[in-house]
Amino acid sequence: MSTTSTVSASTIDVVFGSAPGKVILFGEHAVVFGQTAIASTIDRGIRVAVTHRAGATDGPVLKSMNAMLPGRSRPDPDGEGPERLREALALLRSLCGDRVRSLSFSVDGAIPAGAGLGSSAALAVALVRGVHEFFDEHIDDAALIERAFAVERVFHGNPSGVDHTTIVSGGVIAYRRDLGSGAATATPVRLARRVPLVVGVAGPHAGTKNAVTALRDRARRHQAHYDHLYAGIGALADAAKGHLERGELAAVGELMDLNQGYLNALGVSTPAIEVLCATARERGALGAKLSGAGGGGAVIALVDDGPDAQGAIVRAFAAAGYAAFATELPASDPSVTNSSRPTSQTTKDPS
Ligand code: PMV
């Protein structure tokens, strides 16, 4: 998806800021505790139209938010309603200056909100991009990450940073945040071959902030055991990077199944997620796991390159009553897709 574009007419100026959604292939939750995660952008996302309200000083305002899936149009999966969004817009004004008070945003999304597909981070990135595009200014990736992270914090409290770093970088990255310094490292993962996926949505989740807080509370009672689980997940992510770079998709799938076992042990899976994982494996998926915070939300299935392999799983998910779509990881060879590629970068946690 292109990041920005402009449409001008005699009476209206509309500028668009957009951002893709993301999936987490390995390492959600453990990444909050300093372990590696592997995440990737997907080929659908969010677009924010920015317009100017002549003479207005009370903004910025959100004019419309088109549903990202039937029945779900909330931008804040933690269920705190428009209050959080107002807070995010006020923060945007303090980050980008008083000039944004006359701006109005309309949001269109092709990813479900509250499903672990990065809708709130994509919204944060698209808003910041849209503002800078409106004022015809360049913003570099490090500044974009910092600003989007601040906005994302309004929705998610204390996110690891994996969502918006992936969304700004584009492509597949290995992400890790040092807990001591807060410095984050994003390293590109160079795919050796096409990596087809199917995404199924096991319903809305209860919110990333809620899931992370509840897990932290459960872990306190058995901290050493939970730390072993986080370390195990981190080891899977580190190993999976090599398998992805060598094109060993069968091994990647096996590690995804293991990662899902760990996530179940952490208590963030649900019966619907387990049904989707089992359905995908029965239909030939190489591996399947939840993606994101869990407690609902997205399941990703890694699919072999066979004819109609993705279609069979999409149909099986739909037959079981779940929304689903086929996608693939952005190719490392830019001539294969037009996704932007990440460069290795380190960002400092702004907190
Ligand atoms: O917001 P989600 O559902 O994409 O989850 C983000 C991943 C977590 O590891 C659960 C939280 C985080 O901040 O990394």
Side-chain angles (χ1 to χ4, degrees):
M1 167 183 300
S2 71
T3 54
T4 49
S5 58
T6 308
V7 175
S8 293
S10 54
T11 53
I12 182 171
D13 273 345
V14 184
V15 170
F16 296 103
S18 59
K22 68 95 197 36
V23 290
I24 300 182
L25 297 160
F26 291 92
E28 49 273 274
H29 288 291
V31 69
V32 174
F33 303 99
Q35 300 292 336
T36 305
I38 311 277
S40 173
T41 45
I42 55 175
D43 56 2
R44 48 179 73 201
I46 279 181
R47 189 179 74 160
V48 175
V50 186
T51 50
H52 182 249
R53 299 173 306 138
T57 57
D58 58 339
V61 296
L62 185 78
K63 206 163 71 186
S64 65
M65 168 77 76
N66 288 337
M68 298 169 195
L69 250 201
R72 292 201 47 86
S73 55
R74 284 189 289 118
D76 63 328
D78 291 293
E80 293 172 71
E83 193 46 46
R84 284 279 172 246
L85 195 55
R86 269 197 294 277
E87 231 182 277
L89 293 178
L91 180 64
L92 198 64
R93 181 167 167 173
S94 72
L95 290 170
C96 300
D98 242 11
R99 59 195 179 154
V100 305
R101 65 192 178 176
S102 62
L103 297 185
S104 160
F105 304 116
S106 301
V107 181
D108 276 300
I111 45 175
L117 294 172
S119 59
S120 60
L123 178 62
V125 171
L127 281 170
V128 177
R129 274 184 175 148
V131 166
H132 283 273
E133 182 69 9
F134 188 87
F135 293 109
D136 208 11
E137 293 165 351
H138 172 73
I139 178 166
D140 63 30
D141 281 1
L144 180 56
I145 285 173
E146 196 174 310
R147 289 187 174 184
F149 196 28
V151 177
E152 166 81 337
R153 275 168 186 270
V154 173
F155 297 120
H156 283 337
N158 188 23
S160 68
V162 65
D163 280 15
H164 68 274
T165 304
T166 305
I167 285 166
V168 171
S169 300
V172 189
I173 63 167
Y175 177 88
R176 193 173 182 136
R177 186 172 62 146
D178 181 83
L179 292 186
S181 67
T185 309
T187 311
V189 178
R190 305 279 175 204
L191 300 180
R193 50 176 283 200
R194 183 171 174 262
V195 181
L197 294 180
V198 169
V199 178
V201 182
H205 68 41
T208 303
K209 191 158 58 173
N210 295 335
V212 170
T213 307
L215 173 56
R216 208 185 279 273
D217 288 346
R218 284 197 297 282
R220 251 184 222 120
R221 296 193 287 277
H222 307 281
Q223 195 61 57
H225 298 301
Y226 277 78
D227 287 344
H228 276 301
L229 296 176
Y230 300 142
I233 291 172
L236 293 178
D238 288 330
K241 179 173 184 291
H243 290 305
L244 283 164
E245 293 187 325
R246 291 188 297 274
E248 296 159 354
L249 294 199
V252 175
E254 286 166 3
L255 298 192
M256 285 172 69
D257 287 343
L258 278 168
N259 195 158
Q260 175 58 26
Y262 277 110
L263 289 164
N264 198 337
L266 291 177
V268 295
S269 190
T270 64
I273 288 170
E274 295 300 327
V275 165
L276 284 174
C277 290
T279 304
R281 291 172 194 138
E282 273 162 25
R283 302 294 162 123
L286 299 172
K289 62 179 278 294
L290 68 84
S291 174
V299 165
I300 51 171
L302 178 65
V303 181
D304 213 353
D305 240 345
D308 200 34
Q310 285 171 296
I313 295 174
V314 169
R315 286 193 298 278
F317 282 1
Y322 299 99
F325 60 91
T327 186
E328 64 184 78
L329 298 187
S332 297
D333 174 356
S335 66
V336 179
T337 75
N338 62 3
S339 301
S340 57
R341 299 294 314 153
T343 50
S344 187
Q345 59 189 353
T346 301
T347 53
K348 188 85 175 67
D349 183 341
S351 64

